[in-house]
Protein backbone atom coordinates (compact mmCIF):
# COMPACT_ATOMS: atom_id res chain seq x y z
CA UNK A 1 0.00 0.00 0.00
CA UNK A 2 2.89 2.27 0.75
CA UNK A 3 4.15 1.77 -2.79
CA UNK A 4 0.75 2.68 -4.20
CA UNK A 5 0.65 5.93 -2.26
CA UNK A 6 4.11 6.82 -3.45
CA UNK A 7 3.13 6.11 -7.05
CA UNK A 8 -0.02 8.20 -6.60
CA UNK A 9 2.14 10.99 -5.26
CA UNK A 10 4.54 10.70 -8.18
CA UNK A 11 1.64 10.62 -10.66
CA UNK A 12 0.08 13.67 -9.05
CA UNK A 13 3.32 15.59 -9.22
CA UNK A 14 4.04 14.46 -12.76
CA UNK A 15 0.65 15.57 -14.06
CA UNK A 16 0.71 18.84 -12.20
CA UNK A 17 4.29 19.83 -12.93
CA UNK A 18 4.55 18.31 -16.39
CA UNK A 19 1.77 20.37 -17.94
CA UNK A 20 3.01 23.48 -16.24
CA UNK A 21 6.48 23.08 -17.64
CA UNK A 22 5.10 22.68 -21.16
CA UNK A 23 3.24 25.98 -20.95
CA UNK A 24 6.17 27.78 -19.39
CA UNK A 25 8.46 26.43 -22.07
CA UNK A 26 6.18 27.57 -24.88
CA UNK A 27 5.75 31.06 -23.46
CA UNK A 28 9.47 31.33 -22.77
CA UNK A 29 10.33 30.24 -26.30
CA UNK A 30 7.81 32.65 -27.82
CA UNK A 31 9.31 35.51 -25.81
CA UNK A 32 12.81 34.51 -26.88
CA UNK A 33 11.72 34.34 -30.52
CA UNK A 34 10.24 37.80 -30.12
CA UNK A 35 13.44 39.35 -28.78
CA UNK A 36 15.38 37.83 -31.68
CA UNK A 37 12.92 39.28 -34.18
CA UNK A 38 13.04 42.69 -32.50
CA UNK A 39 16.84 42.63 -32.58
CA UNK A 40 16.71 41.85 -36.28
CA UNK A 41 14.30 44.69 -36.98
CA UNK A 42 16.38 47.16 -35.01
CA UNK A 43 19.50 46.19 -36.93
CA UNK A 44 17.68 46.60 -40.25
CA UNK A 45 16.51 50.14 -39.54
CA UNK A 46 19.69 51.32 -37.79
CA UNK A 47 21.89 50.06 -40.63
CA UNK A 48 19.52 51.63 -43.17
CA UNK A 49 19.67 54.88 -41.24
CA UNK A 50 23.47 54.82 -41.18
CA UNK A 51 23.51 54.15 -44.91
CA UNK A 52 21.19 57.09 -45.49
CA UNK A 53 18.38 55.01 -47.00
CA UNK A 54 16.08 55.63 -44.04
CA UNK A 55 15.59 59.00 -42.41
CA UNK A 56 15.78 59.67 -38.67
CA UNK A 57 12.03 60.14 -38.26
CA UNK A 58 11.12 56.80 -39.83
CA UNK A 59 13.92 55.07 -37.95
CA UNK A 60 12.80 56.50 -34.64
CA UNK A 61 9.20 55.56 -35.37
CA UNK A 62 10.14 51.90 -35.83
CA UNK A 63 12.53 51.95 -32.87
CA UNK A 64 9.81 53.34 -30.63
CA UNK A 65 7.67 50.31 -31.47
CA UNK A 66 10.67 48.08 -30.73
CA UNK A 67 11.15 49.83 -27.39
CA UNK A 68 7.57 49.03 -26.43
CA UNK A 69 8.05 45.38 -27.33
CA UNK A 70 11.35 45.23 -25.42
CA UNK A 71 9.81 46.79 -22.34
CA UNK A 72 6.81 44.46 -22.44
CA UNK A 73 9.09 41.50 -23.05
CA UNK A 74 11.23 42.27 -20.03
CA UNK A 75 8.12 42.49 -17.86
CA UNK A 76 6.70 39.27 -19.29
CA UNK A 77 9.98 37.45 -18.68
CA UNK A 78 10.07 38.70 -15.10
CA UNK A 79 6.57 37.34 -14.43
CA UNK A 80 7.28 34.04 -16.18
CA UNK A 81 10.56 33.60 -14.34
CA UNK A 82 8.98 34.19 -10.96
CA UNK A 83 6.43 31.42 -11.14
CA UNK A 84 6.76 27.67 -11.09
CA UNK A 85 3.19 27.45 -12.34
CA UNK A 86 1.31 29.89 -14.53
CA UNK A 87 -1.79 30.65 -12.52
CA UNK A 88 -4.72 32.42 -14.21
CA UNK A 89 -3.62 35.71 -12.64
CA UNK A 90 -0.10 35.30 -14.06
CA UNK A 91 -1.50 34.57 -17.51
CA UNK A 92 -3.77 37.57 -17.30
CA UNK A 93 -0.91 39.82 -16.21
CA UNK A 94 1.33 38.74 -19.07
CA UNK A 95 -1.51 38.97 -21.57
CA UNK A 96 -2.36 42.47 -20.36
CA UNK A 97 1.25 43.49 -20.95
CA UNK A 98 1.39 41.95 -24.42
CA UNK A 99 -2.00 43.00 -25.80
CA UNK A 100 -1.26 46.73 -26.36
CA UNK A 101 2.09 45.84 -27.89
CA UNK A 102 0.50 43.41 -30.34
CA UNK A 103 -1.90 46.21 -31.30
CA UNK A 104 0.94 48.69 -31.75
CA UNK A 105 2.87 46.27 -33.95
CA UNK A 106 -0.26 45.60 -36.00
CA UNK A 107 -0.88 49.32 -36.42
CA UNK A 108 2.69 49.90 -37.54
CA UNK A 109 2.28 47.20 -40.20
CA UNK A 110 -0.55 49.16 -41.77
CA UNK A 111 1.11 52.54 -41.56
CA UNK A 112 4.65 51.98 -42.77
CA UNK A 113 5.84 55.06 -44.62
CA UNK A 114 9.19 53.69 -45.73
CA UNK A 115 9.88 54.55 -49.34
CA UNK A 116 12.73 52.11 -50.03
CA UNK A 117 10.94 48.94 -51.17
CA UNK A 118 13.62 46.51 -49.93
CA UNK A 119 13.80 48.07 -46.49
CA UNK A 120 10.03 48.27 -46.37
CA UNK A 121 9.76 44.55 -47.13
CA UNK A 122 12.45 43.68 -44.59
CA UNK A 123 10.79 45.79 -41.91
CA UNK A 124 7.41 44.29 -42.69
CA UNK A 125 8.81 40.75 -42.44
CA UNK A 126 10.46 41.52 -39.12
CA UNK A 127 7.29 43.10 -37.74
CA UNK A 128 5.34 40.01 -38.78
CA UNK A 129 7.89 37.82 -36.98
CA UNK A 130 7.49 39.93 -33.85
CA UNK A 131 3.72 39.75 -34.13
CA UNK A 132 3.92 35.97 -34.50
CA UNK A 133 6.04 35.62 -31.37
CA UNK A 134 3.76 37.82 -29.30
CA UNK A 135 0.60 36.18 -30.62
CA UNK A 136 2.00 32.72 -29.93
CA UNK A 137 2.64 33.68 -26.32
CA UNK A 138 -0.89 35.04 -26.03
CA UNK A 139 -2.45 31.93 -27.55
CA UNK A 140 -0.53 29.67 -25.18
CA UNK A 141 -1.55 31.80 -22.24
CA UNK A 142 -5.20 31.80 -23.23
CA UNK A 143 -5.47 28.14 -24.17
CA UNK A 144 -2.66 26.14 -22.64
CA UNK A 145 -2.32 24.89 -19.14
CA UNK B 1 -3.55 2.91 4.58
CA UNK B 2 -6.91 4.42 3.68
CA UNK B 3 -7.78 7.02 1.07
CA UNK B 4 -7.72 9.85 3.59
CA UNK B 5 -4.23 8.91 4.63
CA UNK B 6 -3.12 8.77 1.00
CA UNK B 7 -4.67 12.17 0.33
CA UNK B 8 -2.97 13.56 3.41
CA UNK B 9 0.31 12.16 2.20
CA UNK B 10 -0.23 13.65 -1.23
CA UNK B 11 -1.21 16.99 0.26
CA UNK B 12 1.79 17.01 2.57
CA UNK B 13 3.98 15.90 -0.28
CA UNK B 14 2.84 18.79 -2.41
CA UNK B 15 3.81 21.37 0.18
CA UNK B 16 6.97 19.64 1.30
CA UNK B 17 8.15 18.71 -2.16
CA UNK B 18 7.29 22.03 -3.81
CA UNK B 19 10.74 23.56 -3.26
CA UNK B 20 12.32 20.23 -4.12
CA UNK B 21 10.47 20.13 -7.42
CA UNK B 22 11.65 23.64 -8.26
CA UNK B 23 15.21 22.62 -7.41
CA UNK B 24 14.93 19.51 -9.56
CA UNK B 25 13.48 21.58 -12.39
CA UNK B 26 16.42 23.95 -12.15
CA UNK B 27 18.78 21.01 -12.38
CA UNK B 28 17.00 19.09 -15.11
CA UNK B 29 14.10 19.96 -17.37
CA UNK B 30 13.71 23.42 -15.91
CA UNK B 31 17.18 24.34 -16.94
CA UNK B 32 16.03 24.75 -20.50
CA UNK B 33 13.26 27.12 -19.44
CA UNK B 34 15.65 29.10 -17.30
CA UNK B 35 18.18 29.27 -20.10
CA UNK B 36 15.52 30.39 -22.58
CA UNK B 37 14.26 33.05 -20.19
CA UNK B 38 17.82 34.24 -19.54
CA UNK B 39 18.33 34.50 -23.29
CA UNK B 40 15.06 36.39 -23.76
CA UNK B 41 15.83 38.75 -20.90
CA UNK B 42 19.36 39.47 -22.11
CA UNK B 43 18.11 39.92 -25.67
CA UNK B 44 15.42 42.44 -24.78
CA UNK B 45 17.90 44.35 -22.61
CA UNK B 46 20.51 44.38 -25.39
CA UNK B 47 17.86 45.57 -27.84
CA UNK B 48 16.91 48.38 -25.50
CA UNK B 49 20.56 49.40 -25.16
CA UNK B 50 20.93 49.43 -28.94
CA UNK B 51 17.98 51.81 -29.21
CA UNK B 52 19.38 54.08 -26.51
CA UNK B 53 22.79 54.11 -28.18
CA UNK B 54 21.14 55.21 -31.42
CA UNK B 55 19.05 57.87 -29.68
CA UNK B 56 22.10 59.26 -27.88
CA UNK B 57 24.06 59.31 -31.15
CA UNK B 58 21.28 61.49 -32.54
CA UNK B 59 21.38 63.82 -29.55
CA UNK B 60 18.07 62.53 -28.23
CA UNK B 61 17.35 61.44 -24.66
CA UNK B 62 17.66 57.73 -23.93
CA UNK B 63 14.59 55.76 -22.91
CA UNK B 64 14.48 55.13 -19.19
CA UNK B 65 13.66 51.57 -18.10
Amino acid sequence: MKNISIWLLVLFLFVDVGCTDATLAKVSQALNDTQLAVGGLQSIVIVANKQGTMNDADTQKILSICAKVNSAGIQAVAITRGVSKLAPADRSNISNILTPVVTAVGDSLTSLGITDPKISNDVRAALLAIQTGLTTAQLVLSGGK
Amino acid sequence: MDIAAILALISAGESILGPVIVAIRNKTGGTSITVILDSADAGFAANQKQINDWLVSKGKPAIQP
Side-chain angles (χ1 to χ4, degrees):
Chain A
M1 197 54 145
K2 184 180 177 184
N3 285 340
I4 291 174
S5 64
I6 290 172
W7 278 112
L8 280 172
L9 178 62
V10 169
L11 180 64
F12 172 81
L13 294 173
F14 175 78
V15 170
D16 189 47
V17 175
C19 293
T20 300
D21 276 353
T23 303
L24 283 172
K26 287 177 186 172
V27 173
S28 302
Q29 190 59 57
L31 292 172
N32 196 41
D33 291 344
T34 301
Q35 68 85 8
L36 290 170
V38 174
L41 175 56
Q42 291 183 193
S43 294
I44 289 168
V45 297
I46 288 174
V47 168
N49 179 257
K50 283 180 180 173
Q51 292 175 342
T53 51
M54 193 167 179
N55 64 39
D56 285 356
D58 285 344
T59 304
Q60 188 166 0
K61 182 180 170 187
I62 298 293
L63 290 179
S64 70
I65 299 291
C66 292
K68 288 179 184 175
V69 179
N70 289 327
S71 178
I74 288 170
Q75 292 177 65
V77 167
I79 293 173
T80 308
R81 189 193 295 281
V83 296
S84 60
K85 176 180 180 180
L86 280 176
D90 300 319
R91 295 182 188 182
S92 177
N93 287 338
I94 297 174
S95 190
N96 287 341
I97 290 168
L98 297 182
T99 296
V101 181
V102 172
T103 303
V105 172
D107 290 345
S108 67
L109 272 167
T110 60
S111 62
L112 280 179
I114 302 168
T115 53
D116 186 295
K118 183 183 182 312
I119 295 172
S120 181
N121 284 340
D122 289 348
V123 167
R124 187 175 297 278
L127 282 169
L128 283 170
I130 293 167
Q131 197 175 40
T132 300
L134 293 172
T135 306
T136 300
Q138 280 192 311
L139 285 174
V140 172
L141 291 169
S142 64
K145 178 176 178 183
Chain B
M1 188 178 287
D2 59 15
I3 296 297
I6 293 172
L7 291 176
L9 177 61
I10 291 172
S11 178
E14 184 185 13
S15 60
I16 293 168
L17 292 178
V20 177
I21 292 165
V22 172
I24 291 171
R25 176 183 294 145
N26 289 338
K27 289 287 183 187
T28 57
T31 301
S32 60
I33 295 175
T34 303
V35 168
I36 293 168
L37 286 175
D38 285 346
S39 173
D41 206 18
F44 284 125
N47 290 344
Q48 208 71 308
K49 182 181 181 305
Q50 186 184 35
I51 291 173
N52 281 340
D53 288 346
W54 183 85
L55 287 170
V56 170
S57 76
K58 298 293 178 181
K60 301 175 189 294
I63 298 169
Q64 299 303 317

